[in-house]
Amino acid sequence: MIRPGIEVVKRATVIVVIFLIFLAILVLNLFRMQIVQHDYYLKKVTDQITVEGEMSAERGEIFDRNGNLLVTNVKVYRVFISPNDIREAQNSTSEKKIANRERYAKEYYGSSYSTLTEAQMVSHALSRYLGVKYEDIMEKADKPNRYDETIKKQVDAETADAIRSFIAGYDLGSEIYLEEGSKRYYCYGSLAANTLGFVNAYGDGVLGLESQYNSELKGTAGRYIYAKDAHSQDMPFEYKTFVEPVNGNDLYLTIDTRIQLELENQLKAAYDLSSPAKGVCGAVVNVKNGEVLAMGQYPSFDPNEPYSVLTEIELFELSKYDPESEEYQSKYSEMLFSVWNNKLTTDRYEPGSTFKIVTAAAALEEKAVSVDDKFVCSGAYFVAGYKDPIPCHKLAGHGTVTFAEGLQQSCNPTLMETNRRLGKELFYKYFENFGYAETTGIDLPSEYNTIRSTYENMGPVELAVYSFGQTFKTTVIQQLMAVSSVANRGVLVRPHLMKSIVDSQGNVIESRGTEIKRQVVSEETSKTLMQILEEGVSGDGAARNAYVKGYKVAAKTGTSQKIDQEDETLRVGSCVAFAPADDPEIAVIIVTDEPRKGNPYGSVVAAPFVSKLLSSILPYMGYEAEYTDEELQTSDITVASYVGLEIEYAKNDLSYRGLQTEVVGSGKKVTAQSPKYGSVVNKETGKVILYTDTDEPESTVSVPDVSGKLSAAVKRLILGAGLNIKMEGAVSADSQNSAVAVSQSPSPGEIVPPGTVVTVEFRHLDGTD
């Protein structure tokens, strides 16, 4: 028989053992939670009692080379509501809340509407201010257990101020909120848009420099953490942590806003002339250091509204597809990127005759030809092993020309024979050395490389047609930098757009200067070619339309066929120019892709606009015009103001300035004059009519139509009508009187006072390259 005391001890022992086991488990769990998994459980507790958020960094601004602001940030607001607070306000017995709803109902619904709810009032008001559908706001206002429902983002400051006034007027501070943020703002709209790019809804750069330098511009976001209770109210103790955001760095570019504006003006003018199906693009670079002074295209887009770029025709085309289909998304993206992409770096083209500069440089450098070597052009060139002759752009042939003349007149047979003498091995060596085997390395994303034949696959036909820029495809920036090396004493440099990166304290943290790639040809070859190309502009070369009065300009035009397209009539017309020709600093290129109106040749669709661009930017850059004797005879002069002066004094002053005078009336003082003060007239033929008995000229003249006429005939018609003439364009290089009038202002038939200035623009239309 077991004694009772022993039974008690056993039971007690079991209980103690069980207790110890539970105690051990508890201790082990405490050890695991407090020591082993301390960080995990601390985070869970912290997450339950804290609110954590992000504070955006201010994106860096973008400036041009002169400190002009191109891209900045403007304040915008996110408007959001608290459905829970709206519901509480509706359930409140506050007389003020009820009175506010009645007041709003009376003002916007009429006095008979007495059942307006808090949600209806808030939704109606925000719909008015923000243009958001009333039903959509009501749907969000009715959501349970929600404290933050976004109604609209990127609301401008003016609208935000109006909403604040509404909130204050109706005591809605706990129901409607505004959160300040920033939006990227492009100060000049579409200016340099394809170079700058834009940012997406998350503030990241999309395309262009915004993408290339995104990490430098974006900065580092800050964070905040603070304690809350179960009702989202602040805790009774202090618990706050702030990590301040680091704003992005500012980007200073090599672009000059003034030059960029003028480039884009001329691109639009070129587009208006020929309506090219694939648009117009161009650039201005410093040949010595590779700085891109301007880069643009037309049509372009406004990066402030990058998705509003599609035309009505494109939108109609999209309507044929289901918006949810892959076909729709693919077509939509294709249309957007066709406008967004930078044509100078992501489109390839056959450069045509502007490439002849490269062929000529290689041949002169290797002494395969000399400037005075004679060539015979019959209108075509026969390549051994190829059945058909390869034509010259001048089908009748240029006859016998020197090498220099052949280059100036863009004779294809001359350059094909030149390449034959140079040979495949040397040509391909220079082709690669000029940069066509690599990208330029410009600081823009997604630069394309050249599509070209391999050395092994280059036969006699390829060697012949490469000489004048056909059957290979390169980018516009690649072509520009290759030929610019010839202007830069034979030195190839890397193009760049970033001048410096500056932090928020004004410290320069990175800068970029000249990066020389290699010496391609000698300085002697460079000078020889610049002289040949300049004489082609000032003489009777194909690039005469690139002439700029008072400046020496070296230029080459080009017109290439799109041989990979079914439509054999498609062309690309272009012109590249360097100035000043005796020591070039800048190079300019304009490329017109698939002209659809008029003459498609580069001498017509590109060269005149290169001329206008240079005539504007060369004086701006500090280069003074130096006129030849011939140019001085046809120079212009600005008419002074003579009204109120003694007639004899006015006549003497006009005589001193080299202008003719006609006096109408018998008075002693000038009462009116024509042309008016500030008008510009031709110095050689200019006449000022001085009136002494009337405040306004009494007689009138009908402006003659001079379109399509040669310069001599134009002068005869306008001067014979008693009018003045101002001649613009290529007329001063018109040694053979072959330039014709292509535009005039005032228009033909317009009735004007005698002496009025008729401005006439001339171009050479007899060339075909």
Side-chain angles (χ1 to χ4, degrees):
M1 180 177 180
I2 300 175
R3 289 178 295 174
I6 296 174
E7 185 69 25
V8 171
V9 171
K10 285 184 176 181
R11 289 177 181 175
T13 301
V14 172
I15 291 171
V16 169
V17 170
I18 291 173
F19 174 76
L20 290 173
I21 290 172
F22 277 110
L23 181 63
I25 292 172
L26 178 61
V27 170
L28 286 171
N29 272 306
L30 287 172
F31 178 80
R32 178 175 60 85
M33 294 173 68
Q34 294 187 0
I35 305 300
V36 178
Q37 294 184 316
H38 171 270
D39 293 341
Y40 170 77
Y41 285 101
L42 178 62
K43 183 178 184 302
K44 286 181 73 69
V45 172
T46 302
D47 288 345
Q48 291 175 5
I49 67 167
T50 61
V51 172
E52 182 175 350
E54 187 176 278
M55 295 182 290
S56 299
E58 189 82 356
R59 191 172 177 88
E61 296 178 313
I62 302 179
F63 300 84
D64 81 345
R65 66 186 299 110
N66 300 313
N68 296 310
L69 185 61
L70 298 175
V71 186
T72 187
N73 308 293
V74 294
K75 285 184 180 180
V76 291
Y77 298 85
R78 178 177 74 96
V79 178
F80 63 99
I81 59 174
S82 172
N84 270 18
D85 288 299
I86 292 173
R87 193 170 293 107
E88 287 183 12
Q90 176 63 37
N91 297 330
S92 170
T93 58
S94 167
E95 292 182 2
K96 186 177 181 181
K97 285 289 185 184
I98 295 171
N100 281 337
R101 288 198 294 273
E102 290 176 351
R103 177 160 58 93
Y104 189 89
K106 184 176 181 180
E107 183 175 355
Y108 292 100
Y109 287 89
S111 58
S112 61
Y113 195 96
S114 59
T115 59
L116 184 69
T117 66
E118 193 81 3
Q120 288 172 333
M121 179 178 71
V122 168
S123 300
H124 183 270
L126 291 182
S127 178
R128 287 190 300 109
Y129 286 119
L130 301 175
V132 179
K133 288 183 179 179
Y134 169 82
E135 295 79 7
D136 293 343
I137 303 175
M138 276 296 295
E139 182 181 344
K140 292 184 176 183
D142 286 339
K143 289 185 178 180
N145 303 316
R146 297 288 296 173
Y147 290 92
D148 186 337
E149 283 293 320
T150 298
I151 304 303
K152 190 173 183 179
K153 296 179 179 179
Q154 296 194 346
V155 176
D156 61 68
E158 184 178 352
T159 304
D161 287 341
I163 293 174
R164 284 196 192 94
S165 297
F166 171 72
I167 292 171
Y170 287 87
D171 191 26
L172 299 170
S174 62
E175 301 163 51
I176 304 175
Y177 296 86
L178 291 94
E179 180 183 67
E180 184 179 306
S182 66
K183 176 185 178 182
R184 206 65 164 158
Y185 178 69
Y186 299 85
C187 305
Y188 293 88
S190 62
L191 186 78
N194 299 86
T195 302
L196 293 172
F198 58 94
V199 297
N200 59 22
Y202 303 102
D204 290 315
V206 178
L207 303 175
L209 292 164
E210 290 275 29
S211 173
Q212 182 76 15
Y213 292 101
N214 186 59
S215 59
E216 289 85 355
L217 289 164
K218 189 172 185 180
T220 305
R223 302 196 69 79
Y224 63 83
I225 304 172
Y226 64 88
K228 65 175 183 177
D229 61 18
H231 300 288
S232 297
Q233 304 298 317
D234 288 345
M235 297 287 275
F237 55 86
E238 184 75 14
Y239 181 80
K240 293 183 179 179
T241 300
F242 290 95
V243 178
E244 293 291 338
V246 178
N247 291 336
N249 298 315
D250 293 334
L251 180 62
Y252 284 79
L253 304 181
T254 59
I255 284 177
D256 186 304
T257 299
R258 169 76 180 274
I259 297 175
Q260 181 73 35
L261 281 165
E262 189 55 39
L263 169 66
E264 295 195 13
N265 287 338
Q266 296 310 320
L267 293 180
K268 185 180 185 305
Y271 182 89
D272 291 342
L273 173 74
S274 62
S275 297
K278 299 296 179 65
V280 187
C281 67
V284 182
V285 301
N286 185 313
V287 301
K288 298 179 185 294
N289 57 28
E291 290 183 346
V292 179
L293 303 177
M295 175 182 278
Q297 62 197 65
Y298 189 87
S300 185
F301 68 99
D302 185 348
N304 293 305
E305 300 289 343
Y307 293 92
S308 303
V309 298
L310 301 187
T311 65
E312 290 185 7
I313 295 175
E314 289 170 326
L315 291 171
F316 175 76
E317 182 69 21
L318 274 177
S319 68
K320 300 176 183 178
Y321 302 92
D322 177 1
E324 302 299 324
S325 67
E326 290 185 7
E327 291 88 349
Y328 178 93
Q329 295 300 324
S330 175
K331 192 72 176 176
Y332 182 56
S333 295
E334 178 186 336
M335 289 177 175
L336 288 177
F337 279 95
S338 69
V339 181
W340 291 346
N341 279 339
N342 190 320
K343 284 179 65 69
L344 289 96
T345 59
T346 62
D347 279 10
R348 299 184 182 99
Y349 80 119
E350 293 172 81
S353 293
T354 60
F355 184 81
K356 290 173 181 174
I357 298 172
V358 172
T359 304
L364 287 171
E365 184 72 13
E366 292 296 330
K367 295 181 171 45
V369 295
S370 68
V371 172
D372 296 321
D373 279 358
K374 293 293 198 315
F375 293 81
V376 177
C377 171
S378 63
Y381 185 82
F382 291 87
V383 178
Y386 191 64
K387 60 178 182 177
D388 298 320
I390 300 174
C392 183
H393 69 86
K394 188 174 182 180
L395 298 178
H398 290 94
T400 301
V401 293
T402 65
F403 174 75
E405 291 168 341
L407 181 60
Q408 291 164 356
Q409 296 175 23
S410 204
C411 175
N412 290 349
T414 296
L415 274 296
M416 285 188 276
E417 173 59 21
T418 296
N419 237 17
R420 186 196 67 77
R421 296 183 189 181
L422 181 63
K424 168 182 170 180
E425 182 176 350
L426 284 175
F427 171 78
Y428 208 84
K429 167 192 163 185
Y430 280 96
F431 185 78
E432 291 185 329
N433 285 347
F434 272 107
Y436 294 99
E438 61 197 11
T439 62
T440 66
I442 191 172
D443 45 341
L444 284 172
S446 306
E447 181 188 3
Y448 285 14
N449 56 11
T450 300
I451 299 175
R452 65 193 192 280
S453 172
T454 63
Y455 176 78
E456 293 74 18
N457 292 332
M458 177 168 279
V461 175
E462 288 77 18
L463 185 64
V465 294
Y466 267 49
S467 72
F468 56 91
Q470 289 278 183
T471 71
F472 69 92
K473 301 180 81 172
T474 191
T475 62
V476 174
I477 192 64
Q478 181 72 270
Q479 179 64 13
L480 179 59
M481 297 315 298
V483 295
S484 291
S485 68
V486 178
N488 186 31
R489 302 180 182 182
V491 178
L492 181 67
V493 298
R494 175 185 175 183
H496 62 278
L497 286 149
M498 184 268 281
K499 196 170 184 66
S500 63
I501 297 175
V502 179
D503 67 16
S504 57
Q505 305 301 314
N507 301 309
V508 177
I509 60 176
E510 185 180 349
S511 61
R512 180 163 294 164
T514 307
E515 183 179 328
I516 296 175
K517 288 189 171 184
R518 53 190 164 268
Q519 183 89 33
V520 186
V521 294
S522 65
E523 185 174 345
E524 179 185 359
T525 296
S526 168
K527 289 182 176 180
T528 299
L529 268 173
M530 287 302 101
Q531 182 179 349
I532 292 172
L533 296 175
E534 189 280 325
E535 290 171 354
V537 173
S538 59
D540 63 348
R544 287 172 292 173
N545 284 331
Y547 168 83
V548 180
K549 184 185 290 187
Y551 296 94
K552 289 186 176 181
V553 174
K556 184 74 191 74
T557 56
T559 309
S560 60
Q561 180 183 356
K562 289 194 167 184
I563 60 173
D564 58 348
Q565 301 295 311
E566 290 184 9
D567 187 348
E568 295 182 355
T569 66
L570 297 180
R571 296 289 186 270
V572 177
S574 62
C575 179
V576 62
F578 316 97
D582 47 6
D583 185 16
E585 180 180 354
I586 60 171
V588 176
I589 192 169
I590 289 180
V591 178
T592 305
D593 197 348
E594 296 184 13
R596 292 178 291 187
K597 288 196 315 186
N599 189 325
Y601 293 99
S603 59
V604 175
V605 299
F609 307 100
V610 167
S611 170
K612 290 182 179 180
L613 177 60
L614 287 172
S615 67
S616 175
I617 66 176
L618 285 171
Y620 166 71
M621 295 179 68
Y623 289 101
E624 294 185 4
E626 297 179 3
Y627 298 105
T628 64
D629 291 340
E630 179 191 11
E631 289 173 334
L632 284 172
Q633 292 176 1
T634 59
S635 62
D636 298 324
I637 187 169
T638 302
V639 177
S641 176
Y642 297 101
V643 175
L645 299 180
E646 295 287 339
I647 191 68
E648 289 303 320
Y649 177 87
K651 288 170 61 178
N652 290 336
D653 186 76
L654 285 165
S655 176
Y656 172 77
R657 295 173 186 270
L659 295 175
Q660 302 172 46
T661 306
E662 179 181 340
V663 179
V664 177
S666 57
K668 293 184 178 181
K669 285 190 176 183
V670 179
T671 56
Q673 68 178 74
S674 182
K676 295 180 179 179
Y677 163 65
S679 299
V680 178
V681 299
N682 181 269
K683 188 174 182 179
E684 182 184 25
T685 61
K687 177 195 286 187
V688 177
I689 303 175
L690 302 174
Y691 297 86
T692 63
D693 296 327
T694 179
D695 291 337
E696 292 293 337
E698 295 179 354
S699 60
T700 57
V701 176
S702 176
V703 177
D705 184 356
V706 298
S707 59
K709 293 180 170 56
L710 297 174
S711 59
V714 170
K715 283 183 181 180
R716 186 170 61 253
L717 284 170
I718 291 178
L719 297 177
L723 300 169
N724 279 293
I725 185 172
K726 181 177 183 292
M727 305 170 75
E728 294 183 343
V731 66
S732 292
D734 184 23
S735 59
Q736 297 182 11
N737 194 30
S738 60
V740 299
V742 294
S743 67
Q744 68 178 88
S745 178
S747 302
E750 192 170 333
I751 304 301
V752 298
T756 297
V757 179
V758 180
T759 302
V760 183
E761 182 179 359
F762 292 86
R763 289 179 193 160
H764 295 277
L765 301 179
D766 55 338
T768 53
D769 196 31

